[in-house]
Amino acid sequence: MHPVAILTPSFNRGSTLPRLYQSLVNQSCKDFVWLIVDDGSQDGTSMLVQNWIEQALLDIRYVYQCNGGKARALNAGFNYLNEVTLIVVVDSDDWLLSDAVQTFYDYLASYSEISDLGGFFFQYKDTGGHLLASKKTLDQPTLLNRYQFNKVYGKFDGCNCYHRRTFSQLRYPEFEGENYVGPTVLQLQMATEGLKMLFS
């Protein structure tokens, strides 16, 4: 298994997945596996992904499960990818810049000595290249837990990357009948375990 994995939970996103797929094909570094956890799609997603697998341009894995929500899909991905070093969660309607995977490797190498590093957080950019933030943007990579980050920078989403220190022990909570658990819930659990994110 590659050291880096892209994890994409998906539900009826056959219309947006091709853009993500193309962004992964365009990566300058191809040393990654792409795991798609299909959360019960009925829009032909499986056929779309099978076609990509047959093209063999990327190392793609596909897992289908009954619809249970994003948290369950992410937990399934964490279980499947237990041998990798870094899991990068990329939603089915997002895409990556062509140097993204190389950046993940660069960060792993640069910050390998931080024993309480539980992952990385990269700010989103819109299609015009502008950073998406609420209070203020980061001037440089900053190591904080999620509570500390929210207090200073506000609450906003970004590209969440989880180190094995995190996904080897933590999972999103799953509740019967609940199909959505916010993406930061795991990061709040990390804080209670003494793990921080490098926000960039």
Side-chain angles (χ1 to χ4, degrees):
M1 187 77 72
H2 305 271
V4 170
I6 309 298
L7 171 58
T8 301
S10 184
F11 176 64
N12 288 338
R13 288 298 183 91
S15 61
T16 61
L17 278 170
R19 181 175 58 183
L20 172 54
Y21 169 72
Q22 193 58 53
S23 79
L24 296 179
V25 169
N26 292 339
Q27 289 300 305
S28 60
C29 173
K30 296 288 202 310
D31 188 9
F32 66 92
V33 59
W34 184 25
L35 173 63
I36 302 165
V37 179
D38 188 338
D39 193 40
S41 295
Q42 299 177 342
D43 65 345
T45 292
S46 61
M47 295 177 61
L48 182 69
V49 174
Q50 184 58 41
N51 182 53
W52 294 337
I53 292 173
E54 292 172 1
Q55 290 177 22
L57 298 178
L58 298 171
D59 184 357
I60 302 174
R61 314 293 171 87
Y62 177 76
V63 173
Y64 184 91
Q65 64 180 28
C66 293
N67 181 253
K70 185 176 180 179
R72 288 181 180 86
L74 288 173
N75 287 342
F78 292 158
N79 293 336
Y80 185 94
L81 296 167
N82 59 8
E83 295 181 7
V84 306
T85 303
L86 189 73
I87 294 177
V88 181
V89 179
V90 182
D91 287 341
S92 53
D93 58 348
D94 291 329
W95 68 96
L96 296 178
L97 300 176
S98 61
D99 63 347
V101 172
Q102 184 59 57
T103 299
F104 302 145
Y105 275 102
D106 292 344
Y107 269 63
L108 277 174
S110 297
Y111 300 100
S112 62
E113 302 302 316
I114 302 176
S115 60
D116 59 350
L117 177 65
F120 305 111
F121 177 98
F122 295 95
Q123 296 176 92
Y124 281 145
K125 292 182 179 179
D126 62 22
T127 54
H130 304 102
L131 287 174
L132 301 178
S134 55
K135 287 186 179 180
K136 63 178 182 177
T137 57
L138 291 151
D139 297 324
Q140 60 185 6
T142 305
L143 188 67
L144 299 168
N145 69 41
R146 189 72 205 209
Y147 290 108
Q148 294 167 333
F149 178 84
N150 288 352
K151 183 176 181 179
V152 177
Y153 296 97
K155 299 178 181 180
F156 59 91
D157 288 335
C159 180
N160 297 303
C161 312
Y162 297 109
H163 193 279
R164 186 185 297 161
R165 292 186 190 96
T166 295
F167 62 80
S168 65
Q169 61 173 318
L170 298 177
R171 293 291 182 273
Y172 281 94
E174 298 181 15
F175 304 102
E176 189 67 33
E178 177 59 62
N179 276 12
Y180 181 77
V181 175
T184 61
V185 169
L186 190 69
Q187 293 163 32
L188 298 178
Q189 290 184 50
M190 290 168 61
T192 66
E193 296 295 328
L195 292 172
K196 299 177 181 178
M197 298 280 282
L198 188 77
F199 293 89
S200 179

